[in-house]
Amino acid sequence: MQEDPSIDTKRVLIDGQWTRASDGSAFEVFSPSTLQPIAAVPKCTRDDLKRAIDAAKTAAKKMATMPVGMRALLLKKAGEIAESRKEEIARTIVQECGKTIHEAREEAWFSNIHYGDAAAEVLRHRGEVVPSTAEQGATSAGRIEGGAAKRILVTREPVGVAAVISPWNWPSDIPNIGLAFGLAAGNSVVLKPSSYTPMSGIMLAEIYEAAGFPKGAVNVVTGSGSEIGDALVSSPDVNAVVFTGSVEVGEQITRKAGIKKLVLELGGNGPIVVMDDAHIGHAVEASAVGAYYLAGQCCTAAERILVHQSIHDEFVRKLVDRSRKVRVGDPMLEDTDMGPLNNEPSARKVDAHVNDARERGAKILTGGHRKGLFHEPTVIDDVTPDFLVFQEETFGPVAPITTFSSLDEAIELANATQYGLTAAAFTSSLRKAFLLAEGIKAGSVNINETTNYWEQQAPFGGSKKSGLGRELSKWVMDDLTDIKTVTIDIEKVLDH
Ligand code: NAP
Ligand code: MG
C-alpha cells in the first residue's frame, strides 16, 4: 500500500536520516484489541536495506575505535532518555503487542535496564594474558622455539555489523539486548523488528540517535521478514546475527547466514514439574503465572504442567479456580490481568492445539474458546505426549496437565520434546531438586519458581532446538565479539 494520510506514518532511521521507503510503500500496524490500524510504517526495499548495511559498515569503524568509556557514557545517556520515555514505551507496547499495561511497564523496565547493564559490562569485558608453551610445542612447520621471548595477549574485538531480528512478544526488551550489548561491544547494528510490532523498534532507534551515537551506528529497517530479514542475514557485509523468534525461522537463518556469528533465541515448550512433596499453593500460582502471563505468549511460558498423580486432583481443582479469576479484557485498563493474543495466525495455532486435545478426548476443565483475539484461560486435563499441545509451542493461555508417578518419569516427560529453553520444578526435597535440575535438558531450570523467571546477570538461552548462544551480561558480549590472539616477540627488536 501507499501511505495513508489519515493514520500516523512512521519513518525509519537509515544512515542518520529519518526516511520513508525509497519507493514510498508502507504497511499498517494493527491493534490486537480493536483489530483497527494504528499506524503505518515503511515497507523498506532492498535498496533501503543496502543503504542501512553500508552505513553500518562505515559506522562500525567508528564504533570499534571509540574508547569503551565513551561507549559506556553514550549508553548511560540513552538509558536516561529511555527512562524519561518509559510510560510512552509501555503504551506503545500495549497498542501494538496487546500485553497489559502492567506487563508492558515491566517490559519497559527490562528494556531500559539493558543500557546500564551494557555500559557496566563493557568496562569489565576484558581479555587475558596466557603463558607461552612454544618451547615444548610443535607444529606441522616443525619445532618452534623461543617461547621465553613470547608474550601472548588474548583480546576481544568487535565483530563489525550486527543484524538484530526480533519478535513481537517483547518488542522493546528483546531487540534492545542486541542493540545495547552489540553497541557496547563496539559494533554497529541494523535492526529488523517484527512486522506486528515495529513501532517499539523505531522508538529504540530514536533513543540511541538522541543519545548521540554516530550516524549509521544504529539503523532500523521495517518490512517483511522473508524479504528484508532474509536479505539482511544473507548479506556478506553482516558479521553477526542476533535472532529471536521461532525455531522454523531460526533454522532458515542457519541455512542462509553462512559463516557468521549466530545468537539464536528460539521457541520453548517449558514444563513445570510438580512433585508429590511440592507446596501446592506455590505450584498452582507458578503454573497460572507461567501459562497466563502475556496470554501465554512468552518463550519461557509454562507450556506443559507435569503433576505427580498423588496430588493431581487437589492441584487441578485449585488451578481451575485460579484460572477462572483471571480478568481478560482491554489491555490498557489498569485492572486487566490478561490481554488478547497478538495476531490471527498465532491464535489459529492455539485453536488447532486446543481442538486436537478435544478430539483426542482430553478434558477441557475451563476455557477453550476465544472471541476475536481474546482467548479464555484454559486448563486441559489428561494430556499425553502425542498431543500437539504437548509436543509443540502453543503460545497461548493454555495449561495442559499430564500426570506421572516417579521422578524418572517426570524427567523423561520433561525432555520429551525438541525444545529446551526454560523449565521449572516444585519440590521440598533438595535431593529431588538437584536430580530434576541435572536431569532436565534446558537452558534454565527454576526450582520452586515459575518458568517465566530469569536474572539479568545470568546467561539466558536454549538448548536443543531452543537456540544457540546465550544472551545477557558477559555472555552476549562474548557472542558479539571476536577473540584475537596477539603474540609479541620481545627479543627480535633493534634495541636489544
Ligand atoms: P518469527 O515468525 O520467527 O519472526 C521473528 C522475526 O523474524 C520477525 O522479525 C520476522 O519478520 C523475522 N523473519 C521472518 N522470516 C524471516 C526470514 N526468512 N529471515 C529473517 N527474518 C525473518 O517469530 P514471532 O512469531 O515473531 O515470535 C514468536 C516466537 O519467538 C516464538 O517461537 C517464541 O518462543 C520466540 N521467542 C523466543 C525468545 C527467546 O529468548 N528464546 C524470546 C521471545 C520469543 P516479520 O515479522 O516481518 O515476519
Ligand atoms: Mg505446548
Side-chain angles (χ1 to χ4, degrees):
M1 59 165 263
Q2 293 298 301
E3 284 181 9
D4 173 355
S6 67
I7 54 175
D8 183 15
T9 301
K10 304 282 175 193
R11 296 181 183 220
V12 288
L13 183 63
I14 297 177
D15 197 14
Q17 302 291 317
W18 287 98
T19 169
R20 298 187 158 90
S22 50
D23 65 0
S25 60
F27 63 97
E28 285 176 332
V29 183
F30 291 85
S31 153
S33 304
T34 64
L35 306 177
Q36 294 304 307
I38 46 179
V41 299
K43 187 169 187 301
C44 291
T45 63
R46 285 185 183 244
D47 281 349
D48 298 326
L49 178 68
K50 185 175 179 320
R51 277 193 300 122
I53 296 173
D54 287 348
K57 208 172 158 185
T58 305
K61 295 187 194 118
K62 276 198 193 132
M63 288 302 300
T65 52
M66 182 187 285
V68 293
M70 178 56 84
R71 288 185 219 155
L73 207 69
L74 292 179
L75 281 160
K76 283 185 198 151
K77 180 94 178 76
E80 285 163 18
I81 297 166
E83 269 306 284
S84 72
R85 296 183 67 180
K86 68 181 175 204
E87 187 63 13
E88 192 192 344
I89 295 171
R91 288 184 172 268
T92 304
I93 294 170
V94 178
Q95 282 182 330
E96 61 179 1
C97 169
K99 62 175 69 175
T100 68
I101 186 69
H102 298 290
E103 292 166 340
R105 287 188 188 122
E106 271 166 22
E107 176 170 352
W109 181 86
F110 276 116
S111 182
N112 288 359
I113 241 175
H114 298 311
Y115 303 99
D117 280 359
E121 201 53 53
V122 68
L123 298 180
R124 57 180 180 236
H125 196 247
R126 51 195 63 150
E128 293 174 57
V129 178
V130 300
S132 167
T133 54
E135 261 155 4
Q136 297 99 51
T139 69
S140 58
R143 190 174 164 76
I144 298 180
E145 295 188 344
K150 301 291 194 287
R151 298 296 179 271
I152 301 165
L153 313 179
V154 179
T155 62
R156 287 200 169 264
E157 56 184 41
V159 289
V161 177
V164 175
I165 303 183
S166 51
W168 47 262
N169 64 339
W170 289 79
S172 183
D173 168 59
I174 285 178
N176 207 24
I177 299 174
L179 275 162
F181 288 94
L183 292 164
N187 303 300
S188 56
V189 176
V190 178
L191 167 65
K192 206 305 278 174
S194 163
S195 298
Y196 292 112
T197 55
M199 298 194 295
S200 299
I202 291 172
M203 275 180 85
L204 289 169
E206 288 168 9
I207 290 165
Y208 283 102
E209 190 207 27
F213 276 90
K215 180 166 91 95
V218 173
N219 305 273
V220 59
V221 288
T222 47
S224 144
S226 52
E227 289 168 31
I228 295 299
D230 181 277
L232 178 58
V233 301
S234 312
S235 167
D237 291 323
V238 167
N239 309 100
V241 176
V242 183
F243 170 77
T244 308
S246 59
V247 169
E248 295 70 29
V249 175
E251 282 183 326
Q252 284 172 37
I253 288 176
T254 57
R255 288 191 288 274
K256 281 304 192 74
I259 301 173
K260 292 187 172 81
K261 293 234 172 214
L262 284 185
V263 181
L264 301 178
E265 296 287 348
L266 309 179
N269 195 9
I272 290 194
V273 177
V274 188
M275 297 302 296
D276 46 356
D277 58 358
H279 184 298
I280 296 202
H282 288 163
V284 166
E285 187 56 27
S287 301
V289 170
Y292 307 140
Y293 185 76
L294 180 42
Q297 304 168 110
C298 269
C299 53
T300 55
E303 287 258 337
R304 297 173 294 143
I305 322 273
L306 312 177
V307 182
H308 194 280
Q309 60 181 18
S310 66
I311 51 156
H312 166 272
D313 293 358
E314 181 187 354
F315 177 87
V316 167
R317 191 174 17 84
K318 288 182 171 162
L319 182 60
V320 168
D321 284 352
R322 171 68 175 77
S323 304
R324 289 188 176 138
K325 294 198 176 99
V326 175
R327 293 165 299 188
V328 182
D330 180 348
M332 205 59 100
L333 299 179
E334 299 284 343
D335 60 1
T336 296
D337 298 321
M338 197 175 92
L341 298 171
N342 175 262
N343 60 74
E344 188 58 29
S346 200
R348 287 209 195 111
K349 189 175 177 203
V350 181
D351 296 342
H353 285 199
V354 173
N355 287 335
D356 173 73
R358 217 178 249 128
E359 281 159 20
R360 288 172 189 268
K363 293 189 204 111
I364 316 272
L365 299 178
T366 187
H369 305 98
R370 70 174 167 109
K371 250 196 214 139
L373 292 175
F374 290 88
H375 199 289
E376 294 167 343
T378 299
V379 179
I380 310 180
D381 201 6
D382 294 340
V383 170
T384 54
D386 47 333
F387 284 37
L388 283 177
V389 78
F390 189 103
Q391 281 304 325
E392 294 182 12
E393 184 183 49
T394 306
F395 235 49
V398 179
I401 315 278
T402 304
T403 49
F404 65 85
S405 54
S406 69
L407 184 119
D408 287 348
E409 193 192 351
I411 293 174
E412 200 177 310
L413 284 168
N415 289 336
T417 81
Q418 63 176 342
Y419 300 94
L421 191 63
T422 54
F426 280 77
T427 176
S428 297
S429 149
L430 195 56
R431 175 179 169 273
K432 287 180 194 165
F434 269 100
L435 293 178
L436 286 158
E438 290 158 8
I440 297 174
K441 187 115 184 83
S444 312
V445 180
N446 298 330
I447 302 294
N448 295 331
E449 183 48 87
T450 189
T451 45
N452 276 338
Y453 182 89
W454 63 90
E455 284 282 344
Q456 295 300 106
Q457 298 300 324
F460 181 89
S463 60
K464 293 157 76 181
K465 284 209 175 171
S466 288
L468 274 183
R470 290 293 180 267
E471 288 202 321
L472 299 177
S473 191
K474 82 179 187 67
W475 290 275
V476 70
M477 294 281 283
D478 286 352
D479 282 340
L480 289 174
T481 46
D482 275 326
I483 293 177
K484 180 177 278 178
T485 303
V486 179
T487 303
I488 304 167
D489 191 309
I490 60 168
E491 298 297 343
K492 294 180 194 137
V493 290
L494 285 176
D495 62 358
H496 183 55

